[in-house]
Structure formats: structure tokens, C-alpha cells
């Protein structure tokens, strides 16, 4: 009988492993930096300063803020019931529609100014958030909850079904073509300029709505009882149930919050882009989901980070490479991240078991 | 559960219980009926047109079923293979590369193309090439997903589907083989495409749909045959084992990478074949055909029919393609006026489609004709879903 | 090659290298300084371990001691963070699980992991995957040799299930519908179907009553006698362990704290402290 021997082969040492981890961690960041760095160098050589890149990144951040809000909805829902909520992009789209219809009903026009405008928009924000939150909760009740014990792919199809339905609602609501809306906030007017980068009203709006919302959400999730119940359910629904958490309520709450964020994003989008249409949710949904996965699905900070990064990639690609290539570039990044860091930038490694 | 659904299941079970020869006899009778069907309609009838499309979708659905239904790999980018198959005939069965051979054209076993410029291969060659290209693409797309969990696979495949579409749209500006040879013609579309040209048969006529129907039916039969054979083979068992529990499968000696790649490749090959057929049938290869929603459309067919169940998938594909092409515009149109609403239903077709998806899934989450295996999955929460192993691709 | 390992081991443990080839040839599995670290947690800590051919060896230890983790490294599900594993004359450190299976190792799982929607028979047929040849195209064409192979595999699956004592009427039952005990049987049959030289059982008697446990104990003896198998067992039931094992290894907090024949281990103070004391004191 032959010997059970272990041929000589250098043991992979811990240090080598650590090196690999470093490469995989920072390599990813390096990959993400390729575009900005390349165009930064290009700008320095050609223009002599970085204002063009700065402009791109600034646009990226303010656009990314919208994606971040939408991505939060994906990440929360996925975190808690492991479902890609395909209808979420449409909820965001309806957020824009509700906002537009509501402010029109309020009588906000190009001429509105000052406190009236501010108050009107705040009211619109609340209405959009409540409407989208409610819609999202309703979708969960009708399309996902009955399927909680069904095969895993079944709710995916109802999600797709709902996204078609909502798209059609949008189509009936404002028609099939892009709809220009009143530029209430003079979106592209400069508010101020720093370092050659023009900060517009739209930029300020995006950041000014997103930052408090995300902060509030973070506070809610970490500090309140309901928020803690949410996190507990995401981690282990069974254990949460045993600890007395009402899982159904918690799931509804998650959809409510996700929908509210999408509603807010819808309003910002309408004010920022000044055109809305029934199909906007589709692309936005894909992008926002990509952002959520990129950041590490289930992770709120990750969703925000992912949104901002995708926003920047998008802007750089739109402006430098050509908008027609942007989806391919965004998705190429997604694939790279999935290959090298499937758990996403901030995600934790999934636990293995035996 | 609705009684209609119960009847369906009862029907399936009853057929399974019949003696073998009886099943064969019924099968043969149905087949003969299907073959004779076109004679009951005009050669260019709209119904036959829908049938041809439905059959082509059946081929795609059966292909996707191998990946999603058998091997449990959620592929949301199946449209990529439709695109690849379609472009294969766009490249090798049209005047697209008009500059080739100094404008004299390159003809392989394609007499009816005469002396037309461009590359013209016999359709059988095109089918094989489409299958091979799509299978290769399937493996390339599959590679980065090998270590990923279910939903991440969905996202990566979706991403590849979208990347394919972007390349299809922008392909007119890509010239991999010199400036006279772009990759695609983008949204303008490559047209005309050679009608199917088989040995010993007259080239298909775009106005006589019968031969198209028979060819599509033949493709379905071949694909069905392959599906059944594979399901009941070593590979088919390995796929299902993998779907049920990757860790256990690997521990039982199933090589994950190879087995998954075979699923991707086989599924993609059918998508490519069907894509080439559809392109020839529709007489155009247009980047706008390759939307993400098409992937979802095909996925919906197999989930609706019953994931993993071959007959269920056939039923799901036929049902959805007919709902899509007939029920919504023809039958339902006019209903709103009767009930006093005044909007145009064709505009609503996607919404109705979505509504049907929701209703059907809620009423019957396991699909119309579930795979026998799946029926128990509802009640038993079995099978390790966690992916736990430090897979090395 | 072996010397190098032995030297390494003796350098680590301070004992002289085992007397060379004779012992080595009778060893089917050898792990040297194997560790597994999860984040900050050292689940298995530098364990040296050997299994003599045709022996029945047990690993015991309190919950969370790292037994299953050690199994997972042997079978390739986990990559060891450090150390090497040799099996039947080959280095299998960090090889793929399916490769390790085809080399002749098979296992069962602590929480049964059958393919729930496959029948008992199909489960066992999957167990023979590595021993089969049929490829994609041959299967589609169902060539004569494929047909033949299918027949043989099915027949062998049937025999193996009979061998482990599954009632014939249950062969075509979906695995998920089987009773717990029958699922255990099918899982063992599935492992046996791959013609292993070494069989790894992770707490096979969990959830069994004393009679069933006793029967399984006998069955292990039978396997060794009739099939020349080597068996590695993780077990909490001391009666089973003490009754069947030639050697017992004790893990605690990932470390090997004792090793020897059942009586030695039973007498070991550290073991009593770490494990037996708590168990028997119940
Ligand atoms: N994939 C993993 N990731 C992180 N920690 C893990 C993982 N697998 C096991 N552990 C941890 O390693 C330790 C050893 O676990 P292991 O399952 O090997 O114990 P065990 O001896 O088999 O226990 P039991 O008798 O309960 O089966 C435990 O603390 C466990 O939580
Ligand atoms: Mg264990």
C-alpha cells in the first residue's frame, strides 16, 4: 500500500493570504479609481486644472444621491426578505409623477418663489413619501406576502408583474412620451462656485434632501426599538420572531421606509431633471440595484456609497465616453465587483456552515 | 387553489399513470394534429404566425429551463443568447457584410442566394454556428457567476444581458474586422435576412408560413428530446443535485464548475438557435429586440409553467406568447368600452400582462404544471440554501 | 516526502518521528498542523491527526470544538488556513471536494443534506457521479454504453440502499418525505455509493434511539469487515464512541487535547474536565 504522505509543497503562509486580501480589497478601489484618475490626468494635461473632472464628480454625487435613496429601498427589502423588488424602480417613477401632479395641484409654477415655494415643496415631499411608502406596503401585501412560503422565484415574478402594472399606470397617467415639468427651482442656475466647479440649485437640493433623510434613517435603524427589530429580523427572522418581534409588521415597515425613500428620490429627480416619464423607473431601478449590490446588499451605508460611486461613474462616462456606453460601463463595473468582492464594498462575508 | 388548476394537476398525474403504449399513441395523435394544423388556416394566417412565434419561444423557454429550472441558476440575461443567435444569421445570412470577397459575396451551400453580396450560409450551418457561439457566450457569462449565490447570479447575468444590448445598439460604430465590417447595424437593424434555405426543399417563402411552422415545430421536438434525455441522465441528476444543495453535490463528487458551465452552455445554445430562427422569420435583426424585458418574458414562461417541468414550460411558453400576441389586443380590446371605461387596451397590454403574472403566481406559485419534485417544496422547507463553501472556480 | 512531514511533526511536538515507512503505509489519512481561522475565531488550531487503514477512529469534543470544521477541511469544503492534509498517498490540501470524493473519501453531514426533491434512489445515483463517464452528447444520444452504465448505476444504487436497510418500497420516495432514520440511511448509502476508502460520518446517531444507535454501531463494524472501509466518526454518544472506536481524538476549542484508545481517553484528566465531566454530569 502506498503511503499517506504529503508531498512537499510550500505552505501558503498567512502573510501571503493577507497580501491577497489586500490586493482584493485595494485592487477594487484601484479599479474604481481608474476612470477619475485617468480623466484627472487628462484634464491636467489638456486644461491645466481639474475643474472639468470636478464638475463631473459633483454631478455624480448629486445624481448619485438620488440613486442612493432608491438603492436604500432595494437594500432594506433584500436584507429582510431576500427578494429583488423589481417593482421598486416603478415606485420611484410614481414618486416623480405624484410630486409633479401634487405641486401642480398646489399651484406651484415657475413664478412661485420664496417661502411659498419652499413650503409647497416640503408638502410635496411629504406627500410623495407617504404615497410611495403606502404603495410599497400595498405591493408587499398583495404580491409578496401571499408567497412567503412559495418557491423562491415566485415572488420575483409577481415583482416583475407589478412593475409592468405600475409602468402602465404611469403610461396612462402622463402618456407615453417624456414629459417636461416646470423648472420650479431653476435647477441649473448656479448657487455658488468653488474651485471652478459650479454648484447648482439642483445639486444643493439633492444633497439637502438626501443627507437629512439618510441621517434620520440611520438614527431610526440603530436607535429605535422598531429599527432594532428590523435589523434583528434581517439577520434571523426566526430568532426575531422568538424574541417577540412581529415579523409581518417589521416587513411592512421595511417596505414603508423603502418606498418613502423612493418617493423622496422621485421628487428630487423631477426637480433635478425637469423631465419625467413612465419608463424612468426601469433604468433607475437597474442602476440603483447595482448600487445596492456594489455597496453590499443589506447595508444602508453601502447603498449610499454605491449610489454615489455609480453616480460618478455615470457622469464621467456620459461626459467623456458617451452616454450610449454608460449602461455597459456601469454594468461592467458591477461584474468586476461581483467577481472580486461578491459581498460588495461594505458587505460582510457570508457565514459558511457545515 | 382554483379548481381549474387542480384539474391541470390531475390531468398531468393521470397521463403519467396511463400505460406506456397509450401515452405513445396519444402523443402520436397530438403530433399528427399539430403537423396538420396549418392546413386548417390560410398560408399567411395570423394564427399560424402566432404559432410560429410561440414555438420559437418554446425553444427559448426550454433552453432557459435547463439553466434555471434544472440547475437552479437564476439567469436574467437570457436575451443575450437571442441576440447572439440573431446576429449570427445577421452576419452569416444576409447582405450585411456586402464588402466581403470584393462584393461578390461568400456562399456556402446556399444556392438560392444566387450571387448576392454578403455572407450566405445554409441555414443548418447558421443554426450550428448560432448554437456554438451562444454556448461559448453562455460559458463566458457563466464564468464570473460560478462562485456566486443565487441572486447575485441573477444580477451578473442581467448585467451581461444589458452589456450585450448596449453593444448591439452601438455596434454600428465598432469595427473589429476593418472599417467595412461593423459589428451590428444598431437600431436601424440588419434587413433583409435570408429566409430559411434547407437542402432538398425550396427556400422558405415569407408569405407562406406553413414551412416556417413545421420547421419551428421540428426544432421544438428536437429540443424536447434533448431536454428529456438530459434530465434523465447523469448530467441531469447532477444539475438537480446542484440546485438542491451545492455543498452536498460537490461532496458527492459533482464538479461544480464543469456542471454549471454545461448548463449555461446547453441552455444558451437553444437560445441562440431560436434567435437565429426568429431573426430569419422576422426578417430583421434590430438592437431594440434585445431588451431586458425579453429575458423576463422568457423567465415568466418557465416560472408560470412550472420551473423544471418540461411540459409545464411548454405550456407556460405557449400560454404567455399567445396572451402576449392574441388575447390582449384582439379578445380583450373593446372590453373597456363595454364596461364604460375609455382607454385603449393595446396601450395597457403590459399592465394586463403584469396583472396576469401576479394573479397566476399568487394562485399557483408552483406553476401550472409543476415538476413533480417541486410540489413538495411548498410544504417542506428542505434543502440547504446557504452557500457555504469556499469554492475555487 | 513522508519523512519531511514526520520531521516537521516531531519538530513541533518534540516527539521522535514515527518509525518511518511501516506506520506510514498503514495510514490512509494524515493531517499535519491543520488550522482554520474564521475572522478572529480559531476554530481548529494546529491539529495533527492520522487514521490507520481499516480502523474506526472517532473525534469527540464539546459543542463548537471544531469537529465539523475539521471534517470540512478534510473533505475540501473549507480551505485550511494552515497545515497540510494527505490522503491515500496524495496531498489533498485545499483540493476541490469533488476531486477528493473521486479519490475515495465520502461523507455524511451533521444536519442531513439529502437532495430533498430527488428520490432515495436518485440520491444514491448522484453519489456515483464520480464513478460514471457519460458525457453530455453521449447522454443525449443515449449510446449503448451510456444505457449500460445507467442500468448498472441504478442497480448498484438499489443494492446499496438495501444494504443500509432501506425498505424497498421507499426507493422511489422523495427524500424529503422519508423518516429521519431513513434519511440517515439514504445519506450513508449515498456516501457508500461513491466506493470510498474512507467514510466520514458526522454525528450519524444524532436523533436516533439507543436501539438504532446500536444497530448503526454494528453496521460500521460490518462495513469495515465486508468492504474494508476506514471510518472516521464524529459522535457525541459516548456509548457508540467507546464501543466502536479503535482510537479516539478529543478536540476542545479547536485544539487536540487528547488522543488514544477509548480507555486512555476516558481516563485522561483534561478530557474529563473539558468534556466527559460535563457530559456525564448531566
Ligand atoms: N463558516 C463559519 N464561519 C464562522 N465561524 C464558523 C464557521 N463554521 C464554524 N464556525 C465556528 O467554529 C467553531 C467550531 O464549529 P464546528 O461546527 O466545527 O463545531 P463542532 O465541533 O462541529 O460542534 P457541534 O458538536 O455543535 O457540531 C464554532 O465556534 C463555530 O461557530
Ligand atoms: Mg459539528
Amino acid at each position: 500500500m502506498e503511503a499517506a504522505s504529503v508531498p512537499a509543497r510550500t505552505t501558503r503562509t498567512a502573510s501571503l493570504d493577507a497580501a491577497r486580501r489586500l490586493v482584493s480589497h485595494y485592487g477594487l478601489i484601484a479599479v474604481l479609481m481608474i476612470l477619475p484618475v485617468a480623466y484627472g490626468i487628462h484634464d491636467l494635461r489638456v486644461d491645466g486644472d481639474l475643474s472639468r473632472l470636478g464638475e463631473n464628480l459633483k454631478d455624480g454625487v448629486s445624481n448619485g444621491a438620488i440613486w442612493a435613496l432608491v438603492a436604500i429601498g432595494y437594500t432594506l427589502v433584500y436584507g429582510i426578505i431576500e427578494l429583488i423588488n423589481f417593482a421598486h424602480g416603478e415606485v420611484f417613477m410614481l414618486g416623480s409623477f405624484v410630486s409633479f401632479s401634487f405641486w401642480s395641484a398646489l399651484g406651484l409654477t415657475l413664478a412661485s418663489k420664496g417661502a411659498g415655494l419652499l413650503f409647497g415643496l416640503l408638502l410635496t415631499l411629504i406627500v410623495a413619501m407617504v404615497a410611495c411608502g403606502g404603495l410599497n406596503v400595498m405591493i408587499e401585501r398583495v404580491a409578496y406576502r401571499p408567497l412567503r412560503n412559495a418557491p423562491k422565484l415566485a415572488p420575483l415574478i409577481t415583482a416583475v408583474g407589478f412593475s409592468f402594472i405600475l409602468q402602465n399606470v404611469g403610461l396612462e397617467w402622463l402618456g407615453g412620451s417624456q414629459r417636461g415639468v416646470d423648472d420650479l427651482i431653476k435647477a441649473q442656475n448656479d448657487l455658488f462656485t468653488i474651485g471652478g466647479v459650479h454648484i447648482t440649485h439642483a445639486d444643493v437640493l439633492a444633497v439637502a434632501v438626501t443627507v437629512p433623510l439618510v441621517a434620520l434613517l440611520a438614527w431610526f435603524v440603530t436607535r429605535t426599538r422598531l429599527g432594532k427589530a428590523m435589523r434583528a429580523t434581517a439577520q434571523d427572522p426566526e430568532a426575531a420572531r422568538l424574541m417577540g418581534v412581529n415579523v409581518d409588521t417589521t416587513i411592512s415597515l421595511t417596505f414603508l421606509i423603502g418606498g418613502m425613500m423612493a418617493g423622496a428620490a422621485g421628487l428630487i429627480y423631477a426637480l433635478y431633471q425637469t423631465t419625467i416619464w413612465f419608463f424612468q423607473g426601469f433604468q433607475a431601478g437597474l442602476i440603483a440595484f447595482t448600487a445596492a449590490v456594489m455597496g453590499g446588499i443589506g447595508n444602508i451605508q453601502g447603498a449610499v456609497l454605491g449610489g454615489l460611486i455609480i453616480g460618478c461613474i455615470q457622469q464621467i462616462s456620459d461626459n467623456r465616453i458617451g452616454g450610449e456606453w454608460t449602461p455597459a460601463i456601469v454594468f461592467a463595473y458591477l461584474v468586476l465587483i461581483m467577481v472580486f468582492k461578491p459581498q460588495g464594498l461594505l458587505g460582510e462575508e457570508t457565514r459558511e456552515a457545515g | 387553489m382554483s379548481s381549474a388548476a387542480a384539474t391541470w394537476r390531475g390531468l398531468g398525474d393521470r397521463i403519467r399513470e396511463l400505460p406506456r403504449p397509450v401515452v405513445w399513441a396519444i402523443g402520436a395523435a397530438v403530433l399528427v394534429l399539430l403537423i396538420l394544423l396549418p392546413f386548417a388556416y390560410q398560408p399567411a394566417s395570423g394564427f399560424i404566425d402566432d404559432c410560429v412565434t410561440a414555438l420559437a419561444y418554446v425553444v427559448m423557454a426550454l433552453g432557459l429551463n435547463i439553466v434555471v429550472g434544472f440547475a437552479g441558476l437564476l439567469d436574467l440575461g437570457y436575451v443575450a443568447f437571442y441576440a447572439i443567435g440573431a446576429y449570427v444569421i445577421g452576419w452569416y445570412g444576409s447582405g450585411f457584410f456586402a464588402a466581403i470577397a470584393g462584393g461578390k459575396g461568400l456562399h456556402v451551400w446556399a444556392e438560392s442566394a444566387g450571387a448576392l453580396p454578403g455572407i450566405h450560409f445554409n441555414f443548418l450551418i447558421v443554426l450550428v454556428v448560432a448554437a456554438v457561439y451562444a454556448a461559448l457566450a453562455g460559458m463566458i457569462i457563466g464564468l464570473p457567476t460560478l462562485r456566486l449565490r443565487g441572486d447575485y447570479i441573477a444580477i451578473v447575468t442581467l448585467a451581461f444581458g444589458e452589456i450585450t444590448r448596449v453593444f448591439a445598439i452601438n455596434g454600428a460604430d465598432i469595427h473589429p474586422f476593418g472599417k467595412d465590417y461593423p459589428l451590428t447595424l444598431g437600431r436601424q437593424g440588419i434587413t433583409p435576412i435570408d429566409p430559411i434555405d434547407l437542402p432538398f426543399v425550396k427556400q422558405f417563402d415569407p408569405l407562406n408560413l406553413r414551412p416556417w411552422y413545421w420547421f419551428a415545430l421540428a426544432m421544438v421536438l428536437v429540443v424536447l428530446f434533448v431536454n428529456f434525455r438530459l434530465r434523465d441522465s447523469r448530467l441531469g441528476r447532477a444539475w438537480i443535485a446542484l440546485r438542491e444543495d451545492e455543498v452536498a453535490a460537490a461532496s458527492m463528487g459533482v464538479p461544480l464548475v464543469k456542471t454549471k458551465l454545461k448548463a449555461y452552455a446547453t441552455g444558451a445554445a437553444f437560445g441562440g438557435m431560436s434567435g437565429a430562427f426568429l431573426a430569419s422569420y422576422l426578417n430583421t435583426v434590430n438592437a431594440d429586440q434585445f431588451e431586458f424585458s425579453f429575458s423576463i418574458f422568457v423567465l415568466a414562461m418557465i416560472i408560470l409553467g412550472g420551473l423544471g417541468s418540461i411540459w409545464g414550460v411548454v405550456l407556460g411558453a405557449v400560454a404567455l406568447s399567445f396572451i402576449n400576441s392574441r388575447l390582449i389586443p384582439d379578445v380583450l380590446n373593446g372590453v373597456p368600452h363595454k364596461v364604460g371605461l375609455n382607454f385603449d387596451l393595446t396601450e395597457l397590454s403590459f399592465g394586463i400582462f403584469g396583472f396576469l403574472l401576479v394573479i397566476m403566481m399568487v394562485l399557483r406559485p408552483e406553476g401550472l404544471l409543476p415538476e413533480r419534485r417541486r410540489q413538495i417544496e411548498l410544504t417542506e422547507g428542505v434543502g440547504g440554501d446557504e452557500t457555504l463553501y469556499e469554492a475555487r472556480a | 516526502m513522508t519523512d519531511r512531514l514526520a520531521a516537521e511533526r516531531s519538530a513541533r511536538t518534540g516527539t521522535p518521528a514515527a518509525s518511518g515507512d511501516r506506520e506510514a503505509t498503514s495510514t490512509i489519512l494524515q493531517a499535519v498542523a491543520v488550522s482554520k481561522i474564521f475572522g478572529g475565531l480559531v476554530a481548529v488550531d494546529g491539529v495533527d491527526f492520522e487514521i490507520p487503514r481499516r480502523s474506526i477512529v472517532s473525534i469527540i469534543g464539546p459543542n463548537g470544538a471544531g469537529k465539523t470544521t475539521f471534517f470540512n477541511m478534510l473533505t475540501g469544503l473549507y480551505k485550511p488556513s494552515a497545515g497540510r492534509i494527505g490522503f491515500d498517498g496524495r496531498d489533498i490540501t485545499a483540493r476541490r471536494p469533488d476531486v477528493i470524493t473521486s479519490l475515495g473519501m465520502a461523507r455524511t453531514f451533521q444536519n442531513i443534506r439529502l437532495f430533498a426533491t430527488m428520490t432515495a434512489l436518485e440520491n444514491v445515483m448522484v453519489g456515483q457521479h464520480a464513478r460514471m463517464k457519460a458525457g453530455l452528447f453521449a447522454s443525449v444520444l443515449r449510446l449503448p454504453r451510456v444505457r449500460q452504465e445507467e442500468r448498472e448505476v441504478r442497480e448498484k444504487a438499489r443494492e446499496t440502499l438495501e444494504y443500509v436497510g432501506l425498505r424497498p418500497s421507499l426507493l422511489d420516495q422523495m427524500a424529503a418525505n422519508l423518516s429521519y432514520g431513513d434519511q440517515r440511511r439514504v445519506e450513508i448509502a449515498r456516501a457508500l455509493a461513491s466506493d470510498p476508502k474512507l467514510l466520514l460520518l458526522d454525528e450519524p446517531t444524532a436523533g436516533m434511539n439507543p436501539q438504532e444507535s446500536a444497530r448503526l454501531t454494528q453496521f460500521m463494524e460490518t462495513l469495515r469487515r465486508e468492504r474494508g472501509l476506514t471510518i472516521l466518526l464524529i459522535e457525541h454518544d459516548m456509548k457508540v464512541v467507546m464501543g466502536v472506536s479503535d482510537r479516539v481524538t478529543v478536540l476542545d476549542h479547536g485544539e487536540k487535547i487528547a488522543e488514544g484508545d477509548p480507555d486512555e481517553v476516558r481516563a485522561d484528566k483534561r478530557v474529563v474536565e473539558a468534556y466527559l465531566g460535563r457530559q456525564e454530569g448531566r
Side-chain angles (χ1 to χ4, degrees), chain A residues 354, chain C residues 63-64 66-69 110-111 202-203 234 236:
Chain C
N63 291 111
K67 306 178 296 289
T68 300
T69 305
Q110 183 170 352
N111 351 310
D202 196 344
E203 298 195 22
I234 294 180
H236 274 305

Side-chain angles (χ1 to χ4, degrees), chain A residues 236-284:
Chain A
D236 187 343
E238 215 28 65
R241 199 189 302 272
L242 291 176
M243 301 294 288
V245 173
N246 183 337
V247 174
D248 280 345
T249 313
T250 311
I251 291 176
S252 290
L253 180 71
T254 309
F255 275 84
L256 179 73
I257 295 175
M260 288 169 74
M261 297 293 151
L267 170 66
I268 305 175
Y269 183 90
L271 290 172
Y272 192 125
Q273 303 288 348
T274 64
T275 48
I276 57 180
W277 71 313
F278 79 100
F279 209 57
Q280 77 187 44
F282 173 73
Q283 271 291 330

Side-chain angles (χ1 to χ4, degrees), chain A residues 1-14 17 20 352-354, chain C residues 1-2 4-5 24-25 27-28 30 53 72 78 84 86 88-91 93:
Chain A
M1 266 187 253
E2 70 272 74
S5 63
V6 181
R9 196 166 82 180
T10 45
T11 311
R12 193 168 46 242
T13 55
D17 254 2
R20 255 194 37 213
E352 315 144 50
Chain C
M1 311 179 293
T2 320
R4 191 192 147 89
L5 258 182
T25 48
T27 304
I28 189 163
Q30 185 175 36
R53 245 173 235 278
N72 286 345
Y78 290 168
R84 313 213 59 74
D88 205 18
R90 288 193 181 81
D91 183 353
T93 316

Side-chain angles (χ1 to χ4, degrees), chain B residues 75-91:
Chain B
D75 186 341
L76 292 185
Y78 197 64
V79 70
F81 311 123
Y82 174 21
I84 287 166
Y87 278 112
V88 164
I89 195 165
W91 297 326

Side-chain angles (χ1 to χ4, degrees), chain B residues 14-15 80 92 109 152 175 237 245 285 302 344 356 369:
Chain B
R14 221 163 304 150
I15 289 179
Y92 306 139
W109 206 22
Y152 291 83
H175 301 89
R237 283 191 300 270
D245 188 335
V285 185
I302 68 174
D344 179 12
L356 287 175
L369 262 184

